[in-house]
Amino acid sequence: MRMKIYIVLSGVCAVPLFCSAHDQPVHEAIAQSAFLSSTSPNQFLNNITVNPNATLFFDPHDFAAGSFTPIYWLTNGAFHEDDPYRFGDHFYTLTPTRTLGQAKGLTDWHESLIVPGSTTNSYAWGTVPGLPSPFLLGNPPTPTNTETWECGRAYELAGLTNALQPDRDSYLAHMFYTLGHILHLNQDLSQPDHVRNDEHLISWHRYIENFGSKTYRYEQNAFPLEPHGWTYWQSEGFSKVLDFWDRGLYANNSSQGLKDDANGVNGKKLGLAEFSNGNFIGEDAIYSEYFSSGNIHYFPFPSLKDTTQPQIQPGLSGTVIDSVTLANGKSGDVVYLSKTNGGINVTHHSALHYFAVLHTPRINAPSMKVQLTINDPNVLQEYHSILIPKAIEYSTGILDYFFRGTMSIQISGISSDNPEQATNVIINTSSQPFSGGTFHLFYDDTNGVRTEITDFSSDYSGSLATNDSFTIIFSPVADAAKYLLVYQGSIGTTDPVDSGIAIAAQTFIGPSYWHNSFESDSGNLSPQAGDVFCGGWHVDAGDVDVGANGTWGENHEGTAYEGDYLLDLDGDQPGTISTNIPTTAGKTYQLTFVWCRNPDSITGALGQPVHIPSAQVLINGNAVMSLVGNMNNSWANLDWQPATYAFTAASSSTTLTFKSTTAGTTFSGIQLDAMDLQEAF
């Protein structure tokens, strides 16, 4: 009889309601909070010089094409994962003897009637390439899934490497849209029915979805931010996509994994399916005592032994009684079972019906099954207040994982000795090593057309530990507006889903328009007024000293910041040097260099007075910066100080000047090294 009723009603049920874990607006809100909780998506966009608030045009074919922000595409991907015919693969039925990643999907009684096509679990649906969508009520099979993890990586790579800006924008939008679909699948794990094989097709049986859509999502702070960052998830033992579903820590009919997670034991954080399955019940898949171990609704936990049910006595001592107001406006008192062990504590874990209160059944009595429910406002409120933040937390973690690859590029620039080559130091700033994979170098011209540079060399050895570096050398492109370096390979512990396709990308301006570190090209280590030295510097007044490593300072300890030479602005007398650098009028440039105090000015070496040296930096004759050497350094530790100054060029040539302002004849002044001028974004 039950089967006949369901078949009839399924024909009148709206298809989008089919076994959704949360209604679409709730998924949308969870994804939005996840995007705002994770700094990783915006960092990725900033690293590739895409404004996180920029609009990206994309035609998803599920709804009208348009230009929208990345967060819009992410949240809409989460919304539309419940569209026909995708909704059949949203279950991850977690059993104690499961093989990780191969948990069952939905096998509840109605599946073959409603979804006769092949179905799989939600993890496989989101990560296995080439799976066809299940079909509904005899419709032909639909196309294969185009919103998997592998697809998202392919869209990301195309969004970085395609020649034309509009195409790159479209692919990046599709990447975020696909991530929204994947987040949805993980969010479904926060609905206990979806990890306990409990179908909930009929509208009045959709207790969690209905409460979330009609009540919970309108509450203040219903979708809080849950920021962590990828290093947090690493510290908890997460290393792959599957971990966000299932870590195998809750298994073998033991609640120890649930207890470790609840107590915050380091490295024992559960996958979201484990957390939901072991701590919560559904309407049909309830406490373990009411099913044999072979029943599709049997799960070892939660157990009535871990609730207040065994303590219910005449007079209802030892349990919770709360008032409740129903949708029809009527109010009264309800008796609840509280979960007090075997994982997290839940005050309103289930509600007892009236007759169960009058005639409390024994712990293993079958009548108990029909005398308790989760369909109660206090139960549903507490379930949502715990599970929705969990869904946000895990969605945030998936975003942190997807965008975990980062690089830093330090520009050595164009050498005055070899202006045809540029050297850049690449540093792995991810918290995990790169292994295998390849690096690709691109440049954008002034019209935004992206072209790959294939004739560059590097000393990448095939692996790069965190904070380690390697160098690339390439010939600068005359019309390059910016460069982009893209890595694709493995990042961190091998993840079968992400192995070989993880991505890190970083744009950089460069190479530098001009770089100089006073490497002596003439052997003139004491240039005087009128001399030209070290790649184009002119001594305008006085004289300066060029010091070589191994000859400079007490016990020859003085060492240049870069290369083999440094410069002291005070020779026998205070000196002034300048050079002319090609620039483009109206463009903004950033000057960087390092400086320090000659330590002889502290000790009074060579019979000179103890003094504080000083200097000025001038752009086109205008003083823009003062350097006062009052640090307490030594020849063994010169304590080089970085300095930067940004300016807008006024013409095709900019004059850079350094002028000693040290009083008197001192022989020891401000020391300089590693000059760099580059165009700023």
Side-chain angles (χ1 to χ4, degrees):
M1 185 66 177
R2 181 189 183 204
M3 183 178 294
K4 292 181 180 179
I5 292 172
Y6 270 69
I7 292 173
V8 172
L9 290 177
S10 67
V12 298
C13 258
V15 167
L17 299 183
F18 177 80
C19 289
S20 57
H22 302 290
D23 278 348
Q24 288 171 306
V26 175
H27 277 293
E28 194 174 35
I30 294 172
Q32 177 172 290
S33 288
F35 186 98
L36 297 175
S37 295
S38 175
T39 60
S40 301
N42 283 352
Q43 181 183 11
F44 165 76
L45 293 169
N46 285 324
N47 288 346
I48 62 171
T49 61
V50 173
N51 188 329
N53 296 314
T55 57
L56 308 173
F57 180 85
F58 173 51
D59 183 0
H61 305 296
D62 295 329
F63 54 96
S67 293
F68 301 103
T69 60
I71 191 173
Y72 174 93
W73 290 120
L74 181 87
T75 57
N76 272 271
F79 184 98
H80 287 282
E81 174 60 27
D82 267 336
D83 288 353
Y85 298 90
R86 306 183 61 86
F87 45 61
D89 288 334
H90 289 191
F91 282 67
Y92 188 88
T93 300
L94 191 148
T95 61
T97 57
R98 68 197 178 279
T99 298
L100 290 183
Q102 298 178 21
K104 294 180 180 179
L106 177 64
T107 61
D108 207 344
W109 71 273
H110 81 286
E111 179 190 4
S112 62
L113 298 175
I114 305 301
V115 187
S118 60
T119 60
T120 187
N121 70 57
S122 62
Y123 170 73
W125 176 239
T127 61
V128 176
L131 291 181
S133 300
F135 55 91
L136 181 67
L137 295 175
N139 287 329
T142 52
T144 57
N145 189 3
T146 59
E147 313 302 337
T148 66
W149 186 274
E150 182 181 57
C151 294
R153 284 299 192 199
Y155 303 142
E156 180 184 20
L157 185 64
L160 294 169
T161 62
N162 201 280
L164 302 180
Q165 182 75 57
D167 292 338
R168 295 197 298 270
D169 287 351
S170 180
Y171 281 120
L172 289 177
H174 200 168
M175 174 195 70
F176 280 106
Y177 185 66
T178 295
L179 280 174
H181 283 267
I182 294 167
L183 296 190
H184 178 119
L185 297 176
N186 187 260
Q187 292 161 15
D188 278 354
L189 307 178
S190 66
Q191 210 278 43
D193 290 337
H194 275 247
V195 295
R196 300 177 71 83
N197 202 18
D198 197 352
E199 64 82 16
H200 41 285
L201 170 62
I202 306 304
S203 61
W204 59 79
H205 198 57
R206 303 171 66 255
Y207 303 132
I208 289 178
E209 294 91 326
N210 291 344
F211 185 86
S213 184
K214 296 176 181 179
T215 303
Y216 180 81
R217 74 184 179 101
Y218 296 105
E219 295 178 3
Q220 188 174 10
N221 300 320
F223 303 95
L225 300 186
E226 297 287 341
H228 283 312
W230 176 234
T231 54
Y232 162 81
W233 293 97
Q234 284 182 270
S235 71
E236 288 292 342
F238 284 62
S239 62
K240 52 189 177 297
V241 179
L242 177 58
D243 290 336
F244 292 94
W245 267 253
D246 187 2
R247 296 189 65 204
L249 297 178
Y250 159 50
N252 302 320
N253 294 321
S254 169
S255 63
Q256 189 58 51
L258 298 168
K259 295 175 181 178
D260 289 343
D261 176 85
N263 293 326
V265 177
N266 187 51
K268 298 296 184 178
K269 193 178 185 73
L270 297 172
L272 187 52
E274 298 172 286
F275 175 84
S276 298
N277 176 283
N279 284 303
F280 298 89
I281 63 174
E283 185 64 18
D284 298 314
I286 58 170
Y287 300 102
S288 61
E289 283 78 4
Y290 298 104
F291 305 97
S292 64
S293 60
N295 190 287
I296 62 170
H297 288 159
Y298 170 78
F299 303 95
F301 299 96
S303 166
L304 282 173
K305 296 176 183 179
D306 293 323
T307 71
T308 54
Q309 194 274 344
Q311 287 77 48
I312 295 178
Q313 303 294 332
L316 302 175
S317 62
T319 191
V320 174
I321 303 175
D322 272 344
S323 61
V324 65
T325 301
L326 303 177
N328 60 11
K330 294 184 178 181
S331 60
D333 293 332
V334 175
V335 177
Y336 298 93
L337 297 187
S338 297
K339 182 173 173 293
T340 57
N341 199 0
I344 64 168
N345 293 340
V346 183
T347 302
H348 304 91
H349 199 255
S350 61
L352 298 183
H353 291 302
Y354 175 72
F355 287 106
V357 175
L358 292 181
H359 307 285
T360 305
R362 298 188 308 276
I363 187 168
N364 289 319
S367 59
M368 188 67 175
K369 179 179 178 182
V370 297
Q371 295 186 24
L372 59 82
T373 182
I374 63 169
N375 186 27
D376 172 89
N378 287 327
V379 173
L380 293 172
Q381 174 64 34
E382 188 161 0
Y383 274 38
H384 278 78
S385 68
I386 297 172
L387 288 165
I388 293 297
K390 275 288 181 182
I392 296 169
E393 179 187 19
Y394 280 70
S395 286
T396 302
I398 292 172
L399 292 177
D400 291 336
Y401 180 72
F402 188 87
F403 295 111
R404 69 194 184 279
T406 59
M407 296 183 289
S408 173
I409 300 180
Q410 294 183 357
I411 304 171
S412 297
I414 300 176
S415 169
S416 58
D417 297 328
N418 191 355
E420 299 303 318
Q421 287 188 335
T423 303
N424 297 266
V425 178
I426 315 303
I427 304 171
N428 175 12
T429 56
S430 309
S431 56
Q432 294 180 284
F434 295 168
S435 59
T438 55
F439 286 85
H440 298 272
L441 181 63
F442 301 83
Y443 77 92
D444 288 3
D445 65 18
T446 54
N447 295 316
V449 176
R450 185 160 293 172
T451 303
E452 185 168 6
I453 299 172
T454 57
D455 59 342
F456 74 93
S457 63
S458 80
D459 57 0
Y460 175 60
S461 64
S463 63
L464 190 66
T466 299
N467 295 325
D468 276 0
S469 63
F470 71 99
T471 60
I472 62 171
I473 300 174
F474 65 98
S475 299
V477 178
D479 64 342
K482 63 183 177 184
Y483 294 82
L484 171 71
L485 187 68
V486 177
Y487 166 77
Q488 184 176 41
S490 295
I491 300 177
T493 304
T494 300
D495 178 352
V497 170
D498 209 34
S499 179
I501 60 173
I503 288 174
Q506 180 66 54
T507 54
F508 60 97
I509 295 295
S512 306
Y513 275 83
W514 172 84
H515 182 82
N516 189 283
S517 59
F518 301 107
E519 300 307 295
S520 179
D521 55 1
S522 63
N524 183 6
L525 301 183
S526 299
Q528 302 177 358
D531 288 346
V532 176
F533 69 103
C534 294
W537 287 103
H538 180 265
V539 182
D540 299 336
D543 59 273
V544 296
D545 287 329
V546 178
N549 291 340
T551 66
W552 200 243
E554 294 179 15
N555 301 317
H556 308 304
E557 293 175 289
T559 302
Y561 179 86
E562 176 184 295
D564 297 321
Y565 296 89
L566 58 80
L567 180 128
D568 190 317
L569 276 174
D570 287 23
D572 291 336
Q573 54 187 320
T576 300
I577 62 172
S578 66
T579 189
N580 295 320
I581 306 170
T583 52
T584 300
K587 287 192 173 182
T588 300
Y589 296 86
Q590 180 167 281
L591 169 69
T592 63
F593 61 93
V594 296
W595 67 282
C596 67
R597 179 182 191 175
N598 185 322
D600 288 348
S601 66
I602 301 173
T603 62
L606 303 177
Q608 58 188 299
V610 174
H611 64 282
I612 296 177
S614 60
Q616 283 185 331
V617 184
L618 299 90
I619 301 290
N620 293 330
N622 299 312
V624 297
M625 187 183 303
S626 295
L627 309 176
V628 179
N630 54 11
M631 68 274 288
N632 187 23
N633 60 349
S634 66
W635 286 112
N637 179 16
L638 287 173
D639 191 22
W640 290 102
Q641 301 294 307
T644 63
Y645 180 76
F647 66 94
T648 301
S651 64
S652 60
S653 179
T654 295
T655 301
L656 172 64
T657 303
F658 289 86
K659 177 181 180 180
S660 171
T661 54
T662 305
T665 302
T666 64
F667 308 109
S668 53
I670 296 295
Q671 300 186 141
L672 304 170
D673 202 2
M675 302 280 173
D676 196 75
L677 187 72
Q678 56 184 319
E679 185 182 345
F681 282 100

